Amino acid sequence: MDTEAREAAGAGDEWADVAPDAARRLVRAAVEAFAERGYHATTTRDIAGRAGMSPAALYIHYRTKEELLYRISGIGHEKALAIMGEAAAADGSAAERLAAAVRTFVRWHAEHHTTARVIQYELQALGPEHYAEITALRRRTDRLLRQIIQDGADSGEFRADDVPGTTLAVLSLCVDVARWFTADGRRTPDEVGVLYAGLVLRMVGAGAE
């Protein structure tokens, strides 16, 4: 079983909201093709072939290749926003909320590394309207994480003189997991999440005297 197959096996209901089944198959095929070849080098024929469909059948569900990327990006970024929102709204100290946010965010990027690579690194291929919509979701996610870090700085839990810069550094660290993670590596997604949560807490000086 290759990396993409392992990810799909553990993905659960990642694409459950995509219907009908043919549209779901096209999304999965597009994720594989974009991750392997890059958005610009992938053709609609490539995607349709991976889905076991004709190119003409693809256009019944998606008008363009860009619309497929937009659908994939929307689902991925909505999930990221939900992860960060749950952590931001949870009870507990800023350190506990930050650890939970990083652990869950990193775990998702590891478990769904193929999808995450596409939504994080093919963003510029979206058309202007879709790009604006997706970047708005990213800004909302950023604000939630920034608020957790700001809470910790205000309470004295964190040593973070530059909260926006620290937020950017934490997000960059988390997102980069999708670039290097492989399912046959020596760490599981859970283990990577725990590792990164600890690294980020040390980064912000949580618990430092």
Side-chain angles (χ1 to χ4, degrees):
M1 183 181 292
D2 60 21
T3 299
E4 285 73 20
R6 288 172 186 269
E7 179 180 349
D13 294 329
E14 183 182 9
W15 307 115
D17 292 337
V18 180
D21 178 67
R24 190 180 309 116
R25 282 162 45 205
L26 286 165
V27 164
R28 288 175 175 151
V31 168
E32 292 175 4
F34 294 157
E36 181 182 315
R37 299 170 57 87
Y39 174 83
H40 293 293
T42 298
T43 66
T44 54
R45 185 175 295 276
D46 293 331
I47 297 168
R50 286 172 185 259
M53 300 165 65
S54 70
L58 183 149
Y59 295 113
I60 295 173
H61 303 283
Y62 301 99
R63 291 172 297 175
T64 63
K65 180 177 69 168
E66 189 270 349
E67 188 173 315
L68 262 169
L69 179 62
Y70 166 66
R71 185 79 168 105
I72 294 162
S73 295
I75 291 171
H77 283 90
E78 288 282 3
K79 179 60 177 177
L81 180 61
I83 288 170
M84 205 62 72
E86 183 175 350
D91 294 329
S93 66
E96 290 169 336
R97 288 183 286 134
L98 180 59
V102 171
R103 185 170 57 250
T104 312
F105 200 59
V106 165
R107 185 173 63 222
W108 187 87
H109 278 78
E111 286 178 343
H112 304 283
H113 51 276
T114 306
T115 300
R117 281 201 303 274
V118 172
I119 69 171
Q120 297 294 349
Y121 299 116
E122 297 291 351
L123 187 66
Q124 298 295 330
L126 291 170
E129 286 188 22
H130 288 162
Y131 179 83
E133 185 176 330
I134 298 302
T135 53
L137 288 174
R138 290 170 73 93
R139 284 193 295 271
R140 289 171 63 190
T141 302
D142 294 357
R143 284 196 297 270
L144 288 167
L145 179 61
R146 183 183 300 187
Q147 187 58 59
I148 297 172
I149 296 173
Q150 186 67 61
D151 289 346
D154 292 344
S155 68
E157 288 181 68
F158 302 158
R159 293 178 178 175
D161 295 331
D162 183 349
V163 171
T166 301
T167 303
L168 178 60
V170 172
L171 286 170
S172 297
L173 188 69
C174 295
V175 165
D176 193 56
V177 169
R179 180 184 58 80
W180 60 262
F181 186 86
T182 59
D184 54 0
R186 67 187 186 90
R187 285 194 171 97
T188 66
D190 281 331
E191 289 170 340
V192 177
V194 170
L195 172 65
Y196 274 51
L199 291 172
V200 167
L201 289 178
R202 289 194 291 276
M203 178 191 299
V204 299
E209 294 295 331

